[in-house]
Amino acid sequence: VILRRIPGMAGAQTSWFCVIGGATGDAQPDAVPSVQGTLPHFIQEPEDAYIVKSNPIKLRCRAVPALQIFFKCNGEWVHQNEHFSHEYKDLNTGLKVREVMINVSRQQVEDFHGPEDYWCLCVAWSHLGTSKSRKATVRIAYLRKNFEQDPQGKEVPINGMIVLHCRPPEGVPAAEVEWLKNEELVSSLTDDNIDTRADHNLIINEARLSDSGNYTCLASNIVAKRRSATATVIVFVNGGWSLWTEWSACNAPCGRGVQKRSRTCTNPAPLNGGAFCEGMSVQKITCNAPCPIDGGWNEWSQWTVCSSQCERQRTRECNSPIPRHRGKMCEGNSEATENCTDGLCTQSKRIEGSHFLCVSCVSGMESSNDVALYSGLGAGIITVAILVVAVMLYRKNHSEYGVDVIDSSALTGGFQSFNFKNTRQGNPLLLNSSMQPDLTVGRTYSTPLCFQDSTDKELFDPLPDIKVKVQSSFMVSLGVAERAEFHAKAPAETFPRDLSRDYCSTMDRRKKGLLTLNGPFSSCKEPLRTTGVFGHHGGRLVVPNTGVSLLVPHGSVAENMSWEMYMVINQGEASVQTLDSCEILLGPEVTYGPPGLDLFCPVAMTIAHCAEVDAENWNIQLKRRTQDSKWEEVMSVEEESTSCYCLMDSTSCHLLLDQPGSYALVGEPLTQAAIKRLKLAVFGTMEVGSMSYTLRVYCVDDTPHAFQGVVAAEKTRGGQLLEEPKMLPFRANTFSLQVSIQDVPQFLWSIKPFTTCQEFSFPQVWCSNQQPLYCAFSLERYSPVTAQLSCKISVRQVKGHEQILQVYTAVAESVPFFMQTDCTITSQTGPKAFKIPLSIRQRICATFDTANAKGKDWQLLAQKLHLDRNLGYFAKQRSPSAVILSLWEARHQDTSDLDSLASALEEIGKIHSKTSFSFLLMSTVIFLMGSS
């Protein structure tokens, strides 16, 4: 019996281990060692292992020579019953090899609590001693679900660098990361432009158009695979101008004209949302085209001596003047030949050799030449006389058209841009009202329809000027708009039927509540109401800051009577529920009353609208709500009617109405060129106690009433108006409206992912019906030290126009919003409500309502005031002149002078310069000019 001492053997009662025989049974080694005189050598050592789910792992050891091999885990011997061992003979060496295996379960690893991971090693014995293997760790494998950092979408210019960050979920063993582009594996081995680094980030050194796509970070280990959120990468190309073309030929064949040259935004063309080219696509210069100078003959030369052929010659040259600049050559021959004897003498026969003789008959020749001379002079004199008479008759018949009409643009010279800009005043809404950013093609309602009291308060109190420089904004020029590549395949008259297939059904769904506007906000939907008591002297009702007013003319109410009149703007979706599918509201729905109102003359109502008025592209109608809440057509603005009168200006509609009720201006697009004006505004709010700053971009119908909804909402939010509101023409081409934020300083501010570009569908914008739309951009500054924010907001319609809102503002946690000054005066009565003094009004009416030899003079008044359409309506009134003046008052309520009326009366006075009629007019003109 050979005994071997094994120190620290777990569960043994003695330090001696029985090698042959004894209680250990199947653990006995051979009596004779495999190799004499050597320590055990491990052929296989235990390896690190991971437990996946609940599956146990196996640890193996092989050693030679070895009498016994036991595992020791976490400093304690593993019980020998848990060992699985066997011995075999190596065929190559002939040595006996002992192999031992144990199982480690998940429960064992979870129950172990120590400073290290669960570990095991092997101890092998031979005659000379023991050997230990390496430690093998056993860990439970896992992979969490959420990525520590998902890749973020990016918009990068071509040739720019793209860096997509990815931090995989925590896991054991650590997850390996791969990148997918459009579900296909991305490898740096096949593309030198791509670098996948050990920090798991994906770097594209120079962005190509082909690099646009959806990128996904894929993390995996022996447990599972995890996919990150998809990051959309857009590689865009900013447009670049091509070379200028050669200057065109002068467009005038003679005299002053214009030359043009053009370039296109195709070098390169903008792609994937890249910026359009800035600047002019067409340049013009003046030119002076030389007028053609036709050639003229000089005097004939003297006749040559009569030749032996009885002929003589003379010549002339076409040099009086020489033909130049594409002038005509002289007509006729440059040489003339005639018989010397006028045919009276002939060539004689040959006499004495080769000589010929001409016999002269002098007297016959002279008489013949005299006849020809006098005949020619007579014919010339008669021709000149006929021409002179013809010219005089022509000039007499065309004397009234004798003024030449030329293109004034040809006289301006220089380079002409397609951007037309209006001068604006400081906007009291604006946070920095002293700043003067460029307002391109925008319209602002600088004078709100509100009667100001004696303190002359502004509508809003501006905040202090932070004195920052605002870069001028721009609008895509006409040349860019022409590059929108819109091609109408169908003729214009077929458009409404095509249009109905595109979006009329969507409009129906929206009106039934199935279409939700992007960016709704809670605003007061209570009707805006104003009232006033009016008597015989009349007056005016105004709903403040809405572009809506009602003029009650003098004399419309009977004497010794008064009416309490009201005017209401109905708000909310109820206004459009019964409109036809392709019709939209162009202004607010307005109601005036009371219903039983009985007046002697029509009232003048003014409603602001948002349409670019064009009869070829719009069918605009005035509609009235019936008692059963249906809409009925009152008139089309392009047709004549005797029931009411409609005058369309660029931003307002002026109505003459006899019947109280609810009225709305409704438009139906006839072609895709129909335009609805949108007003764009950007507001900002700093959340108290946080690093976040929110920009809200509003797209609203370009009417004061619609914008007041935005003002009311922002007032409750404490928002700041960051840029002057601008106008965007929105076409009925069924394309959506895109709003994107650009040029955010990435080292100072971060923006929430997938929010840099947002979109309103076409029906949302086209069918907004005076309801504001908005989208929000949430930014977060990295440091509280950051005190300013600068960026650009691009609002563009696909295949349409674009506007840029430049934001440059100071950031503060608590900045008060503009404060709206209450308009306490919403109605005025009596003479102070009118611009034309009552005495002048009565004098004009008495003068023009009387007929004279030239007809009804009120027609001349309407013509000079540019109100000479639908004259049949004025003709049925008791005082046509009074109604015309009421319409003029409504049209010019925002201006403070009477110059246009005085000028019209002055022109009429010149027409009647020899009548007493003119003296009345001239005295009226003098009074008006003094008043203005």
Side-chain angles (χ1 to χ4, degrees):
V1 176
I2 301 174
L3 299 178
R4 179 73 61 186
R5 185 182 180 187
I6 304 176
M9 182 69 178
Q13 300 297 322
T14 176
S15 60
W16 297 93
F17 180 76
C18 181
V19 177
I20 300 177
T24 58
D26 60 352
Q28 301 174 4
D30 290 341
V32 181
S34 301
V35 178
Q36 298 292 336
T38 62
L39 289 173
H41 169 67
F42 285 97
I43 300 175
Q44 179 181 358
E45 295 184 275
E47 297 179 352
D48 297 337
Y50 298 94
I51 296 177
V52 179
K53 298 182 179 178
S54 297
N55 300 321
I57 55 98
K58 301 180 184 298
L59 297 179
R60 289 184 173 85
C61 279
R62 286 189 295 170
V64 60
L67 298 176
Q68 280 295 343
I69 301 175
F70 285 95
F71 274 92
K72 194 174 187 179
C73 295
N74 303 318
E76 297 182 357
W77 294 102
V78 177
H79 196 276
Q80 50 190 320
N81 291 337
E82 298 178 9
H83 290 74
F84 301 93
S85 64
H86 72 281
E87 192 176 59
Y88 62 93
K89 186 175 182 179
D90 191 333
L91 298 177
N92 296 325
T93 62
L95 300 177
K96 291 184 179 180
V97 178
R98 181 171 292 277
E99 180 177 355
V100 176
M101 180 192 71
I102 64 170
N103 290 328
V104 179
S105 67
R106 183 186 184 99
Q107 190 65 39
Q108 289 175 278
V109 176
E110 289 178 346
D111 292 343
F112 173 69
H113 303 285
E116 300 178 289
D117 291 329
Y118 190 98
W119 60 269
C120 294
L121 58 80
C122 294
V123 181
W125 283 266
S126 70
H127 290 285
L128 297 182
T130 61
S131 295
K132 294 182 179 180
S133 70
R134 65 178 292 275
K135 284 184 178 181
T137 59
V138 180
R139 304 174 67 184
I140 298 175
Y142 67 92
L143 184 62
R144 302 197 184 280
K145 293 184 178 181
N146 297 326
F147 279 71
E148 295 184 4
Q149 182 179 5
D150 285 307
Q152 305 295 320
K154 293 181 180 293
E155 295 181 3
V156 294
I158 195 168
N159 297 327
M161 177 177 286
I162 303 174
V163 180
L164 298 179
H165 298 280
C166 176
R167 293 176 60 188
E170 179 186 352
V172 173
E176 296 181 356
V177 171
E178 294 177 312
W179 284 90
L180 301 178
K181 175 195 170 186
N182 299 332
E183 303 303 323
E184 294 184 1
L185 189 64
V186 176
S187 175
S188 59
L189 299 177
T190 58
D191 192 344
D192 295 336
N193 194 38
I194 296 177
D195 184 7
T196 53
R197 300 188 173 184
D199 57 1
H200 310 308
N201 295 335
L202 174 65
I203 299 177
I204 301 177
N205 297 313
E206 292 186 2
R208 302 156 295 191
L209 288 175
S210 59
D211 293 323
S212 298
N214 297 320
Y215 288 81
T216 308
C217 182
L218 183 65
S220 61
N221 64 5
I222 60 176
V223 179
K225 290 184 178 181
R226 307 287 187 220
R227 293 170 61 95
S228 70
T230 299
T232 301
V233 173
I234 298 176
V235 179
F236 62 86
V237 178
N238 291 324
W241 289 114
S242 65
L243 296 177
W244 288 102
T245 61
E246 296 294 330
W247 287 105
S248 66
C250 195
N251 66 348
C254 174
R256 197 179 188 90
V258 175
Q259 284 181 283
K260 298 180 182 179
R261 66 174 182 175
S262 62
R263 56 181 178 176
T264 58
C265 191
T266 55
N267 188 31
L271 292 175
N272 296 338
F276 287 104
C277 304
E278 297 186 34
M280 299 172 295
S281 62
V282 176
Q283 285 183 344
K284 296 180 182 181
I285 58 173
T286 57
C287 57
N288 286 293
C291 295
I293 300 177
D294 295 337
W297 293 112
N298 64 356
E299 297 293 332
W300 286 101
S301 64
Q302 297 294 325
W303 287 104
T304 62
V305 178
C306 193
S307 67
S308 58
Q309 288 84 20
C310 298
E311 292 179 344
R312 60 178 181 177
Q313 292 86 26
R314 63 176 180 176
T315 61
R316 58 179 177 177
E317 294 183 358
C318 188
N319 57 9
S320 295
I322 298 174
R324 288 179 296 174
H325 311 311
R326 303 178 306 280
K328 296 179 181 180
M329 292 295 295
C330 300
E331 295 182 1
N333 298 323
S334 60
E335 295 182 358
T337 303
E338 68 175 8
N339 189 283
C340 303
T341 63
D342 199 20
L344 298 180
C345 298
T346 58
Q347 181 178 307
S348 66
K349 297 182 179 179
R350 182 172 182 176
I351 303 174
E352 296 179 357
S354 59
H355 295 281
F356 291 85
L357 296 176
C358 258
V359 180
S360 297
C361 301
V362 177
S363 60
M365 289 174 56
E366 290 178 353
S367 62
S368 176
N369 287 340
D370 291 342
V371 172
L373 175 63
Y374 292 128
S375 300
L377 289 175
I381 293 172
I382 293 173
T383 302
V384 171
I386 293 174
L387 288 175
V388 170
V389 172
V391 170
M392 293 178 64
L393 290 175
Y394 178 83
R395 296 192 59 173
K396 181 178 181 180
N397 292 334
H398 294 79
S399 60
E400 56 183 312
Y401 305 108
V403 180
D404 293 335
V405 180
I406 62 173
D407 183 5
S408 61
S409 63
L411 305 178
T412 57
F415 299 97
Q416 303 199 10
S417 170
F418 285 108
N419 293 336
F420 302 93
K421 304 180 180 180
N422 298 329
T423 305
R424 64 167 188 185
Q425 303 297 326
N427 190 339
L429 283 169
L430 195 58
L431 174 63
N432 307 312
S433 62
S434 64
M435 294 158 37
Q436 296 297 324
D438 182 18
L439 178 60
T440 307
V441 198
R443 291 183 176 87
T444 59
Y445 299 88
S446 57
T447 51
L449 288 174
C450 172
F451 298 106
Q452 300 296 329
D453 55 22
S454 59
T455 59
D456 195 19
K457 297 180 181 178
E458 292 184 349
L459 176 59
F460 297 100
D461 296 332
L463 293 181
D465 184 10
I466 60 174
K467 295 183 180 178
V468 294
K469 182 179 181 182
V470 176
Q471 299 176 358
S472 62
S473 57
F474 70 94
M475 179 179 177
V476 176
S477 66
L478 180 60
V480 174
E482 292 173 348
R483 292 191 296 274
E485 297 181 2
F486 164 71
H487 302 284
K489 299 296 184 183
E493 56 270 13
T494 65
F495 176 70
R497 289 182 286 277
D498 297 338
L499 190 64
S500 63
R501 291 197 299 269
D502 292 334
Y503 67 83
C504 290
S505 58
T506 308
M507 294 168 66
D508 287 335
R509 292 197 300 272
R510 179 186 179 276
K511 292 169 184 175
K512 294 176 182 177
L514 300 179
L515 180 63
T516 303
L517 296 179
N518 186 10
F521 62 87
S522 59
S523 62
C524 178
K525 297 299 182 183
E526 293 295 325
L528 300 176
R529 183 184 181 94
T530 181
T531 61
V533 179
F534 298 95
H536 182 70
H537 295 289
R540 192 189 301 263
L541 272 178
V542 172
V543 181
N545 310 313
T546 62
V548 176
S549 65
L550 185 73
L551 182 73
V552 182
H554 173 82
S556 57
V557 180
E559 292 185 1
N560 303 322
M561 283 192 64
S562 63
W563 285 94
E564 183 179 7
M565 299 178 61
Y566 62 84
M567 187 167 55
V568 179
I569 296 181
N570 303 321
Q571 302 190 91
E573 290 295 323
S575 299
V576 296
Q577 288 178 352
T578 56
L579 290 179
D580 293 338
S581 58
C582 291
E583 294 178 338
I584 61 171
L585 279 178
L586 300 179
E589 177 192 347
V590 182
T591 302
Y592 86 94
L597 186 63
D598 184 18
L599 301 177
F600 291 120
C601 59
V603 297
M605 178 186 291
T606 297
I607 302 176
H609 67 82
C610 60
E612 288 285 354
V613 181
D614 187 346
E616 295 181 358
N617 300 322
W618 279 104
N619 176 25
I620 301 177
Q621 298 176 345
L622 177 67
K623 291 198 173 186
R624 178 172 52 213
R625 188 185 290 274
T626 61
Q627 293 182 352
D628 55 352
S629 296
K630 298 287 183 64
W631 286 103
E632 66 176 3
E633 179 181 349
V634 178
M635 68 172 296
S636 173
V637 297
E638 294 300 323
E639 299 175 357
E640 295 191 356
S641 170
T642 57
S643 61
C644 65
Y645 189 101
C646 181
L647 174 65
M648 293 291 292
D649 281 343
S650 58
T651 59
S652 296
C653 173
H654 309 285
L655 306 171
L656 294 175
L657 303 171
D658 296 306
Q659 182 179 349
S662 297
Y663 293 89
L665 200 63
V666 174
E668 177 184 5
L670 301 178
T671 70
Q672 294 190 9
I675 291 178
K676 183 176 85 165
R677 298 189 313 274
L678 298 179
K679 177 170 283 192
L680 311 176
V682 56
F683 291 81
T685 304
M686 186 71 190
E687 298 180 13
V688 179
S690 72
M691 307 281 281
S692 298
Y693 192 81
T694 302
L695 294 176
R696 287 179 297 279
V697 182
Y698 288 86
C699 304
V700 62
D701 292 353
D702 188 15
T703 63
H705 164 254
F707 189 66
Q708 276 303 108
V710 176
V711 172
E714 285 299 322
K715 185 176 180 181
T716 60
R717 287 175 169 164
Q720 305 169 9
L721 181 64
L722 304 181
E723 165 68 316
E724 185 80 18
K726 295 186 177 180
M727 190 276 289
L728 176 71
F730 189 79
R731 295 185 178 273
N733 58 8
T734 72
F735 288 103
S736 59
L737 187 72
Q738 295 178 347
V739 184
S740 61
I741 185 169
Q742 304 171 0
D743 299 342
V744 178
Q746 297 183 359
F747 54 91
L748 297 176
W749 294 85
S750 66
I751 185 170
K752 286 187 177 181
F754 310 111
T755 62
T756 56
C757 184
Q758 304 183 40
E759 188 166 355
F760 295 110
S761 66
F762 175 83
Q764 284 180 288
V765 182
W766 190 257
C767 313
S768 59
N769 289 316
Q770 306 292 298
Q771 301 301 313
L773 304 172
Y774 84 95
C775 62
F777 299 96
S778 180
L779 297 94
E780 187 171 358
R781 48 182 174 169
Y782 292 113
S783 169
V785 179
T786 302
Q788 288 185 338
L789 170 64
S790 65
C791 63
K792 290 181 180 179
I793 303 294
S794 170
V795 184
R796 64 181 292 266
Q797 184 185 16
V798 178
K799 295 188 178 181
H801 293 84
E802 182 183 37
Q803 267 290 17
I804 297 294
L805 297 171
Q806 177 74 50
V807 175
Y808 197 111
T809 183
V811 177
E813 290 188 359
S814 178
V815 177
F817 181 61
F818 46 76
M819 297 182 62
Q820 183 174 354
T821 303
D822 293 333
C823 276
T824 57
I825 306 175
T826 58
S827 67
Q828 282 187 327
T829 59
K832 61 181 179 181
F834 302 97
K835 296 184 179 299
I836 305 175
L838 179 58
S839 60
I840 298 298
R841 179 186 178 92
Q842 292 173 340
R843 183 184 302 178
I844 294 175
C845 292
T847 302
F848 285 98
D849 282 342
T850 339
N852 61 25
K854 291 195 174 183
K856 296 289 186 179
D857 289 308
W858 60 263
Q859 297 183 19
L860 189 58
L861 175 65
Q863 177 186 352
K864 295 303 179 181
L865 294 179
H866 308 291
L867 303 173
D868 53 344
R869 60 177 300 272
N870 198 7
L871 295 178
Y873 179 83
F874 298 124
K876 75 163 192 167
Q877 305 297 326
R878 289 192 297 180
S879 174
S881 302
V883 178
I884 292 173
L885 292 178
S886 296
L887 187 59
W888 184 91
E889 284 262 7
R891 192 179 194 182
H892 296 84
Q893 58 187 312
D894 292 334
T895 59
S896 58
D897 58 70
L898 302 171
D899 288 345
S900 62
L901 179 60
S903 299
L905 295 177
E906 186 177 6
E907 289 183 24
I908 297 174
K910 292 178 181 178
I911 297 174
H912 300 271
S913 57
K914 296 183 179 180
T915 64
S916 59
F917 179 82
S918 65
F919 293 104
L920 292 174
L921 288 180
M922 293 311 295
S923 62
T924 303
V925 169
I926 294 172
F927 187 93
L928 287 175
M929 297 183 68
S931 301
S932 62

